[in-house]
Amino acid sequence: MTKVFTVQDRQIAFDFVLSIAKECSKVVSLVQVGSGAIGYHDERSDLDFVIALDSNDSMLEVMDFVHQKISEKYEIVFFSQQEARHLQCYVLNNLLEIDIGFGCYEQAAAWKPAFKVIFDNSGVVEEKMIQSRQWMDNSIYGDKQKKDIAFACEQSWMRLMHAAVAIKRGKIFRAIGELDFVRNMYIDLLGDRYRLESKMNREVDRLPQEEKDAIKSTFVTSENPKDLWKNLLNLTDLIYKELEGQKIPVTKEMLLEYYKDLR
């Protein structure tokens, strides 16, 4: 395998994607998104783009064009095309990942604040993306938050009960699985509140330190039942505090009494 990509390799790939975008007459604009738009995290950051088209009718034609050009230029070890999401993912043989989204310029919208318009023949893409931020945030985080709260109210107490029983029975892996499930719920709720992407913990590192420390207090680092009970109690405190004011079938007091009976 070719050596892992360098910063120079990444820049060459960036310039190549820019050149093929400009070459295609149906491409109106190229936008860089993700960390590269505001300054790469480090030398291992990948490339993320959105290609704005003249119309949705050009979608498959342009996606095929881009795939052909990148395939001719590079050896690709992985390629995925999700037509429903209008997304292509490439991993080159030097392990550089290039993700490219496609959409009509008239519906240009920024899913995240980090974006940079590389070129725009329409003159309207950047303004459309700026204007989209408020309603996009409400759509992404507002609706998601409602669903996450409802799901946590329905499931968290039950999963915590299952974890407690598993600890009592000495079923360590079952207990860990239930704790992981509830912790992920809690992280989703924090992500909604702080407007961060919680899937796969992608932006959790950006949480305030006290929030990260609280999450760490729920990590299982020992099979000792005493330590597992501590993890369970910490997680119970955190998620009930986050759901304060919500209607939950089993209260925190009821749950703590249940734990006490098991212990």
Side-chain angles (χ1 to χ4, degrees), residues 199-215:
K199 186 177 181 181
M200 301 296 291
N201 294 343
R202 288 197 63 170
E203 297 182 328
V204 172
D205 289 296
R206 293 172 53 193
L207 285 170
Q209 188 60 47
E210 62 269 21
E211 300 284 17
K212 291 187 288 187
D213 289 341
I215 294 171

Side-chain angles (χ1 to χ4, degrees), residues 141-173:
Y141 294 107
D143 292 343
K144 179 179 179 297
Q145 185 175 42
K146 293 175 184 177
K147 292 177 182 178
D148 287 343
I149 288 173
F151 183 65
C153 288
E154 177 186 292
Q155 289 285 323
S156 60
W157 59 273
M158 187 184 305
R159 296 289 187 163
L160 292 168
M161 287 176 61
H162 291 171
V165 172
I167 295 171
K168 172 69 174 178
R169 292 173 176 170
K171 296 184 178 296
I172 304 303
F173 285 101

Side-chain angles (χ1 to χ4, degrees), residues 156-168 175 178-180 182-183 217-220 225-240 252 255-256 258-260 262-263:
S156 60
W157 59 273
M158 187 184 305
R159 296 289 187 163
L160 292 168
M161 287 176 61
H162 291 171
V165 172
I167 295 171
K168 172 69 174 178
E178 298 291 357
L179 289 170
D180 286 346
V182 178
R183 185 188 308 107
S217 75
T218 72
F219 287 168
V220 175
K226 181 179 179 180
D227 294 329
L228 290 171
W229 279 113
K230 185 177 180 180
N231 296 144
L232 176 61
L233 288 167
N234 288 341
L235 187 53
T236 301
D237 286 341
L238 288 173
I239 199 155
Y240 270 87
K252 178 182 173 183
L255 205 52
L256 293 177
Y258 185 76
Y259 297 165
K260 182 179 178 182
L262 285 175
R263 298 177 75 178

Side-chain angles (χ1 to χ4, degrees), residues 89-178:
C89 175
Y90 301 83
V91 179
L92 310 185
N93 71 328
N94 59 7
L95 298 184
L96 173 62
E97 181 178 344
I98 304 174
D99 297 321
I100 305 176
F102 300 79
C104 176
Y105 81 97
E106 293 180 335
Q107 284 90 47
W111 289 86
K112 292 186 178 182
F115 68 88
K116 179 169 64 176
V117 177
I118 307 303
F119 78 87
D120 176 20
N121 295 330
S122 71
V124 300
V125 168
E126 184 165 14
E127 185 61 29
K128 283 180 175 293
M129 295 185 76
I130 293 172
Q131 291 175 354
S132 73
R133 286 303 306 151
Q134 183 174 358
W135 65 262
M136 189 65 74
D137 270 353
N138 290 336
S139 175
I140 295 172
Y141 294 107
D143 292 343
K144 179 179 179 297
Q145 185 175 42
K146 293 175 184 177
K147 292 177 182 178
D148 287 343
I149 288 173
F151 183 65
C153 288
E154 177 186 292
Q155 289 285 323
S156 60
W157 59 273
M158 187 184 305
R159 296 289 187 163
L160 292 168
M161 287 176 61
H162 291 171
V165 172
I167 295 171
K168 172 69 174 178
R169 292 173 176 170
K171 296 184 178 296
I172 304 303
F173 285 101
R174 173 66 188 275
I176 292 172
E178 298 291 357

